[in-house]
Amino acid sequence: MEQQPRLSIANGRSALSSLPSELLIKVYCFLPSIKDVLALAASKYALRQIWMTNVNAIYNSVPRPVECEREARRFLADQNGQAVSEDDIFTAEDVACLLRNARVVEEAIVQFEQEIVCKVRATSFDLQEYYGPGASRHPPTLTRTERRRFIRSYYQLWGMMKLNTNTEWPLRLNALTLKQLYILYEMSMLTQSIGRGEEIVPAPRSPNAPAGSGQAINSGKSKKRDMLGKMVWERIELLYRQIHGEEAEWPWVYAKHEGYLWFVVLWDHWQQSLKEIVYGGNARLLGERCDDSSDEV
């Protein structure tokens, strides 16, 4: 019996690239992920041209690959030295850069989970309420809502590290809510370099400390990040006094028993306490002024 010729992947791509542009755009839009889009675009010049000239239509049709995309786009604008606009038209290079940045953030999460999250204490809480039935401690990884808080604030922090300290920092900080400022201040104390290694941090303060201990991972901050942290706290003090008429609360005194090192306001079990600090007794009056968008979104 005569065998039918087998269609190779290369021949399949050649046949695909011969389709009209309108159909090729639809093929792209039905792909399950942006990784598949990029793989198809890399397979043949004609297919790459379709992707390059229809980036926005295709990107907006496939499942979103980047968490907290609004903050990711804002950071991309800072990275490119552009004005921030959520309606900017994407280029293929923008998408590639967005994905590279997301990988950097994911690597930061992995390091944070290994150094901090797995050691979180919460002795004053019924953790089953926050982390599920039977929970007796914080999970070893960030929860979905904690991831969103971390990612949003990481992009904010990374973006501000690229801005001019004297002229652009105050404008950016003035646009943040009190809750966002508290979380950003905590993120400014991360025990790792921010970004793709462009921040130079000092060597660990206790190089002979046991591996994995708080002393071993505490390497301090760059001078610029230290300056940023001080400016964030100054903004917290000013805004808190405007809202509550008194000195700002310092939640990190609770970190020893309700977090780890100086990390406490990120955790799900501490969100009610953070709201009480931020809102005080004026929740109905303050509303949007103090709170940011839901961590559930």
Side-chain angles (χ1 to χ4, degrees), residues 64-72 105-106 109 112-113 141-156 179-180 183-184 187 265-268 271 292-297:
R64 285 290 195 268
V66 177
E67 294 180 76
C68 303
E69 187 170 322
R70 182 171 62 179
E71 290 297 342
V105 177
E106 189 60 38
I109 289 175
F112 186 68
E113 290 175 338
T141 59
L142 294 172
T143 67
R144 181 171 62 89
T145 46
E146 289 168 351
R147 277 183 64 91
R148 297 189 69 82
R149 285 182 212 116
F150 185 99
I151 293 170
R152 285 175 181 153
S153 298
Y154 192 96
Y155 278 125
Q156 289 172 349
K179 179 181 176 182
Q180 290 171 331
I183 295 175
L184 179 61
M187 290 290 287
V265 302
L266 275 172
W267 317 126
D268 282 350
Q271 292 313 292
D292 60 359
S293 56
S294 172
D295 295 313
E296 301 292 339
V297 176

Side-chain angles (χ1 to χ4, degrees), residues 9-189:
I9 293 176
N11 288 337
R13 287 173 178 162
S14 296
L16 187 62
S17 63
S18 66
L19 292 174
S21 297
E22 295 79 5
L23 288 179
L24 286 174
I25 294 172
K26 290 185 177 181
V27 169
Y28 269 112
C29 291
F30 277 106
L31 291 174
S33 73
I34 194 67
K35 289 183 179 179
D36 295 297
V37 167
L38 298 179
L40 182 59
S43 66
K44 202 167 182 65
Y45 177 79
L47 296 174
R48 176 173 172 78
Q49 290 304 108
I50 294 293
W51 160 239
M52 297 282 286
T53 54
N54 297 276
V55 171
N56 286 271
I58 296 170
Y59 182 84
N60 291 328
S61 297
V62 298
R64 285 290 195 268
V66 177
E67 294 180 76
C68 303
E69 187 170 322
R70 182 171 62 179
E71 290 297 342
R73 282 184 177 236
R74 287 176 178 172
F75 172 70
L76 184 65
D78 290 335
Q79 206 171 23
N80 294 337
Q82 301 171 349
V84 175
S85 172
E86 295 177 24
D87 300 321
D88 283 345
I89 302 299
F90 262 4
T91 66
E93 177 54 35
D94 288 335
V95 174
C97 192
L98 201 69
L99 296 175
R100 286 195 298 269
N101 293 340
R103 286 195 292 271
V104 171
V105 177
E106 189 60 38
E107 290 169 2
I109 289 175
V110 170
Q111 182 176 344
F112 186 68
E113 290 175 338
Q114 292 173 343
E115 293 182 344
I116 306 296
V117 181
C118 62
K119 300 170 186 173
V120 169
R121 297 176 290 267
T123 56
S124 306
F125 295 86
D126 177 8
L127 296 184
Q128 296 185 86
E129 179 181 348
Y130 304 98
Y131 306 118
S136 59
R137 58 176 302 160
H138 189 285
T141 59
L142 294 172
T143 67
R144 181 171 62 89
T145 46
E146 289 168 351
R147 277 183 64 91
R148 297 189 69 82
R149 285 182 212 116
F150 185 99
I151 293 170
R152 285 175 181 153
S153 298
Y154 192 96
Y155 278 125
Q156 289 172 349
L157 177 61
W158 193 2
M160 293 194 70
M161 292 291 288
K162 291 184 172 295
L163 299 179
N164 182 284
T165 59
N166 296 321
T167 59
E168 295 174 296
W169 278 4
L171 292 174
R172 189 64 60 89
L173 292 177
N174 289 348
L176 297 180
T177 66
L178 190 53
K179 179 181 176 182
Q180 290 171 331
L181 287 165
Y182 266 110
I183 295 175
L184 179 61
Y185 182 77
E186 184 164 290
M187 290 290 287
S188 75
M189 296 185 280

